Amino acid sequence: MTLCPCCSEKPFENCCGPIIEGKSKAHSPEQLMRSRFTAYTLCNSNYIFQTYSKQSQLDNTVDDIDAWAKQVEFIKLDITNSDDIALNNHATGQVEFIAHYLYGNEYHQLHELSDFIVENNEWKYHSGTIFERPSKILGRNDICPCGSEKKFKKCHGK
């Protein structure tokens, strides 16, 4: 059993897997956010692009998404606040999250308040407000920020 990269502590095949594979749809903004994070960990740029709203697709390309996803290594997702509302009778929702990722030996946190809308009866990522967070250069003997409690060199260090 492989745990889902979205940090839900559920198996991938019972969490984001069916959504990314098109077997089911995200029923809330948080579920879509988690599936998008997981798609970034898998470098599934087509899924990420398809889950943008039509307006946001104009500002993004599959190639740009793919290039960025391949440059970084997403290691952890924290949902700090979520509307967690079902699709029924709602047209908008928000999720605040912190996506932890590595760019080489630099540790970054993408802290965002994301806005989601419903298009064609599906949740879509529309826009977001990013909150600045400082990055940190990791030394080989630093504790890995993924939460494993291992030294960086024994965990995500290259």
Side-chain angles (χ1 to χ4, degrees):
M1 172 184 77
T2 302
L3 289 179
C4 193
C6 79
C7 301
S8 66
E9 299 189 15
K10 297 177 185 174
F12 174 75
E13 58 272 1
N14 296 331
C15 192
C16 294
I19 298 168
I20 293 170
E21 294 164 2
K23 296 176 183 173
S24 66
K25 297 185 186 299
H27 297 291
S28 70
E30 182 176 333
Q31 200 174 35
L32 182 63
M33 179 62 238
R34 288 182 178 280
S35 70
R36 286 172 54 85
F37 176 86
T38 298
Y40 271 109
T41 70
L42 302 172
C43 294
N44 187 333
S45 305
N46 288 318
Y47 175 79
I48 297 163
F49 181 79
Q50 293 303 318
T51 58
Y52 274 112
S53 67
K54 292 292 182 200
Q55 182 180 347
S56 294
Q57 285 179 345
L58 299 174
D59 299 325
N60 297 279
T61 68
V62 173
D63 289 341
D64 288 342
I65 296 165
D66 193 58
W68 193 68
K70 288 179 178 173
Q71 287 179 4
V72 300
E73 181 181 3
F74 287 92
I75 58 173
K76 186 169 75 169
L77 176 66
D78 293 322
I79 303 293
T80 59
N81 195 17
S82 174
D83 288 348
D84 202 28
I85 52 178
L87 189 56
N88 303 338
N89 302 320
H90 291 91
T92 64
Q94 288 189 319
V95 177
E96 184 175 353
F97 69 92
I98 301 171
H100 304 259
Y101 68 92
L102 300 170
Y103 180 70
N105 68 336
E106 291 180 24
Y107 168 56
H108 297 266
Q109 298 177 47
L110 173 62
H111 183 183
E112 181 176 323
L113 177 61
S114 299
D115 296 311
F116 295 85
I117 63 171
V118 175
E119 288 181 347
N120 298 322
N121 207 33
E122 292 184 35
W123 284 110
K124 301 287 184 172
Y125 173 88
H126 184 64
S127 63
T129 302
I130 295 175
F131 304 101
E132 291 294 322
R133 303 283 292 238
S135 61
K136 177 184 177 184
I137 303 290
L138 295 171
R140 293 174 37 81
N141 291 320
D142 287 339
I143 298 297
C144 191
C146 74
S148 69
E149 300 298 322
K150 296 178 184 175
K151 289 184 179 183
F152 179 62
K153 68 183 176 188
K154 298 273 186 180
C155 194
H156 284 93
K158 307 260 188 272

